[in-house]
Amino acid sequence: MLKFLLSRLLTFLPTFFGVTLISFAFIRALPGDPIIVMAGERGITEERHAELVRQFGFDRPIWEQYLDYLWGVMQGDLGQSFVTKKPVWDEFFALFPATLELSVCAMAFAVLLGLPAGVIAAVNRGKFFDRALMSTALVGYSMPIFWWALLLIIVVSGWLQWTPVSGRISLMFFFPQPTGFMLIDSLISGEKGAFASAVQHLILPTVVLGTIPLAVIARQTRSAMLEVLSEDYIRTARAKGLGPFGINGVHALRNALIPVVTVIGLSVGTLLAGAILTETIFSWPGIGKWMVDSIFRRDYPAVQGGLLLIAVIVMIVNLTVDVVYGFINPRIRKG
Amino acid sequence: MALLEIRDLSVEFATAGGTFRAVDGVDVSVDQGELLAIVGESGSGKSVSMLAMMGLLPWTATITAEVMRFDGHDLLGMSARQRRRIIGRDMAMIFQEPMSSLNPCFTAGFQIKEALRLHTDLDRRARHARAVELFEMVGIPDPEARLRAFPHQLSGGMSQRVMIAMALACDPKLLIADEPTTALDVTIQAQILELLTTLQQEQGMALILITHDMGVVAETAERVQVQYAGQKVEEQPAIPLFSTPRHPYTAALLAALPERATERRLPTIPGIVPGQFDRPPGCLFAPRCRFADDRCRSTPPKPASPELGLARCHYPLTHAAEAEA
Ligand SMILES: Nc1ncnc2c1ncn2[C@@H]1O[C@H](COP(=O)(O)OP(=O)(O)OP(=O)(O)O)[C@@H](O)[C@H]1O
Ligand code: SF4
Ligand SMILES: [Mg+2]
């Protein structure tokens, strides 16, 4: 196990350095001068500009700037945001719980609906439910997030007035946030209605962000189940006298989960990418919105650090998936 | 009264090319504690007829029968739920491919205890004790360790023993063994057959042994029923069947036994079992039969008298000498 982890960590190294390089180059490739953006409406004098250029080291050769940045990263220093002057690291982890909360809810939504839907579709292959579900999944999969979000906002928030349009909680509530997870903090706060408000705010972003993973998981579960259901051991399970739940929900699903877990792991990357758009649409104060804002402000350290941390998180998730995969697939658990 | 009685069983599959009759008017009858062998080449509907009885066929199959009765239960009028109470408890089945018949994601112990949990009210501890006892009974060394093993950690022979132990978990009255040794090494084959026949005698259960190997029949069976292209073509006790086969197909199968071969090459019956699209209008064996004439080719034969082994043939063999030919 330890050996496995180490070897996986080694394969992460090239990705890690690749991300530092790409994020460094990407933000600098965008036209626009961070110093001018920072100065904003007031403008800036020639001398002050030159001074700041020297201060930020923009006058040095680009490779030197990169090595400098890399050297900082190796020491765990992601630099300070140009805008807030706070360490990128702190900024990131102050906002991360909001993104994590949304992503976990979206994933839970996708898995809790996708798995049963895929199983039921496979068991009723070719019947009405199967066809309806698979066409819906295809639509869900190909629907642009942006459009889908606006549609939901218009119908659910606008016409039906069931959910708020943006933010994490109603402005009426104000309480300390020790964990950063609104669902938990609102419960701890003991304020009446706070938790319900937090849930209401979560619903639409969760649905929007979870739709594509939901479609992917449902389709993958269905096809994995169809494959597994024709296996000999399913016949053995039926020959024991097991009922539909024992056959489909235990014997078949357990095997079908093996490919599905891989897909779930892969959707985490998609999810974080989707979070950027979703958070922007719903003014959700998380990493995604922060990244977009930072890009517009040409906040080099924030963008570089943010992309790097997101990449590391995706790598950690993938590693976790590999470990989980080993647990649910006894054939590779050994060794 | 027979433990199992099936009369005029037919199974039709809905396929892309129309319906296909895989089993065509088969009768099966087995008494308590009896051993019946069902023989026939690949594709003769042996598995399908038994799967039909167990209720294990896919939904594309349409099953019809005049009588399908097991241990006083009418299998035909039974709901799926009622059948599940019998299946795996009083009537169990093991399959040709032991390695793929066990679920790779669960330990052998889980899979055998599952049957006990389903059909008995033993508690956890008692189920474990029973599982160990069953593993010992089927000759699995070090049962405690093997209960914790996953299927991929077991050999083919060991897997088949696990399958047998699982089938025997609730002391079934009937065990159906569908080519239980085909996928195994020759030495292991003999061991598994020996195990099955011993268990059949010790437990007093009935055993239906499906095989396409006449050699296996000779060693084990009391009564033999020969199936061809979905039909039962002959039925006799083992000894007369071997000395005086009545149906030309049986005779041909016997002549194909390696011990009886006169040449070096392993003899086989020329031709293949007719499939969905090449079923002859008359006797199904006619294209391969050396006695076939115009009547055979145009009119399907009816089963002959019991003295003639119920042979489904216009001209049942009457002389031992002919049979040898
Ligand atoms: N699900 C199915 N759909 C369509 N045809 C089927 C199905 N299952 C079996 N058959 C057909 O039914 C016929 C009888 O099959 P069966 O498996 O009973 O043969 P068998 O006598 O057991 O042969 P073997 O020795 O190969 O096991 C074969 O021609 C087979 O192709
Ligand atoms: S009916 Fe004719 S073709 Fe068929 S088995 Fe008998 S002799 Fe052969
Ligand atoms: Mg078969």
Side-chain angles (χ1 to χ4, degrees), chain B residues 1-316:
Chain B
M1 200 181 69
L3 175 68
L4 173 71
E5 189 177 10
I6 298 178
R7 231 174 305 141
D8 200 15
L9 169 72
S10 294
V11 179
E12 282 183 343
F13 288 106
T15 68
T19 57
F20 169 52
R21 193 167 257 250
V23 177
D24 186 4
V26 166
D27 301 339
V28 184
S29 144
V30 184
D31 287 331
Q32 211 105 41
E34 193 193 13
L35 200 171
L36 168 73
I38 303 183
V39 215
E41 285 167 289
S42 202
S44 50
K46 308 182 298 287
S47 302
V48 170
S49 52
M50 290 300 118
L51 291 172
M53 200 178 76
M54 295 278 290
L56 295 180
L57 287 175
W59 60 272
T60 51
T62 312
I63 301 164
T64 51
E66 199 182 302
V67 178
M68 190 141 79
R69 186 163 271 291
F70 170 76
D71 196 25
H73 305 282
D74 177 16
L75 295 176
L76 281 175
M78 198 173 252
S79 72
R81 184 186 291 268
Q82 287 169 320
R83 195 195 288 254
R84 285 204 298 269
R85 277 208 282 278
I86 298 178
I87 275 184
R89 192 184 67 189
D90 295 334
M91 177 160 71
M93 185 159 178
I94 61 173
F95 305 96
Q96 181 168 344
E97 295 284 347
M99 308 283 258
S100 58
S101 292
L102 289 169
N103 192 324
C105 284
F106 296 102
T107 60
F110 173 88
Q111 297 186 55
I112 189 169
K113 288 172 192 169
E114 187 179 40
L116 294 168
R117 205 172 50 224
L118 202 62
H119 296 294
T120 68
D121 31 50
L122 299 176
D123 63 12
R124 220 183 142 77
R125 192 180 294 266
R127 287 198 296 264
H128 183 77
R130 173 71 175 149
V132 171
E133 179 192 15
L134 284 161
F135 271 25
E136 274 164 355
M137 195 163 92
V138 298
I140 296 177
D142 197 1
E144 294 276 356
R146 290 287 163 44
L147 281 172
R148 283 191 303 271
F150 282 96
H152 71 275
Q153 295 161 325
L154 302 170
S155 67
M158 212 44 85
S159 300
Q160 196 59 294
R161 285 176 197 267
V162 171
M163 285 294 294
I164 295 173
M166 263 165 56
L168 297 184
C170 306
D171 287 321
K173 296 182 174 133
L174 170 66
L175 174 66
I176 302 162
D178 188 355
E179 310 200 24
T181 60
T182 312
L184 305 175
D185 293 344
V186 182
T187 47
I188 312 288
Q189 282 186 6
Q191 288 174 15
I192 295 288
L193 276 179
E194 163 100 33
L195 173 69
L196 281 173
T197 48
T198 314
L199 288 169
Q200 180 245 334
Q201 278 152 20
E202 281 175 1
Q203 313 284 313
M205 67 178 178
L207 176 63
I208 297 182
L209 183 65
I210 299 179
T211 175
H212 51 227
D213 185 349
M214 274 290 189
V216 167
V217 177
E219 282 166 39
T220 53
E222 295 160 11
R223 204 153 52 82
V224 187
Q225 120 172 13
V226 182
Q227 235 167 272
Y228 182 78
Q231 296 182 331
K232 177 163 91 170
V233 295
E234 175 160 8
E235 179 184 335
Q236 286 206 67
I239 295 170
L241 183 97
F242 276 80
S243 58
T244 50
R246 298 302 185 182
H247 195 283
Y249 176 60
T250 315
L253 277 181
L254 289 172
L257 272 179
E259 303 85 284
R260 301 200 179 189
T262 43
E263 293 165 50
R264 270 273 168 90
R265 242 183 71 248
L266 209 73
T268 49
I269 314 174
I272 52 160
V273 183
Q276 181 173 2
F277 301 108
D278 51 1
R279 280 169 88 86
C283 170
L284 295 179
F285 188 54
R288 303 167 75 185
C289 181
R290 32 192 294 257
F291 307 106
D293 63 11
D294 285 344
R295 184 178 167 216
C296 300
R297 279 182 277 270
S298 58
T299 323
K302 297 240 171 333
S305 65
E307 302 82 65
L308 290 174
L310 302 166
R312 207 182 257 271
C313 173
H314 291 306
Y315 314 110

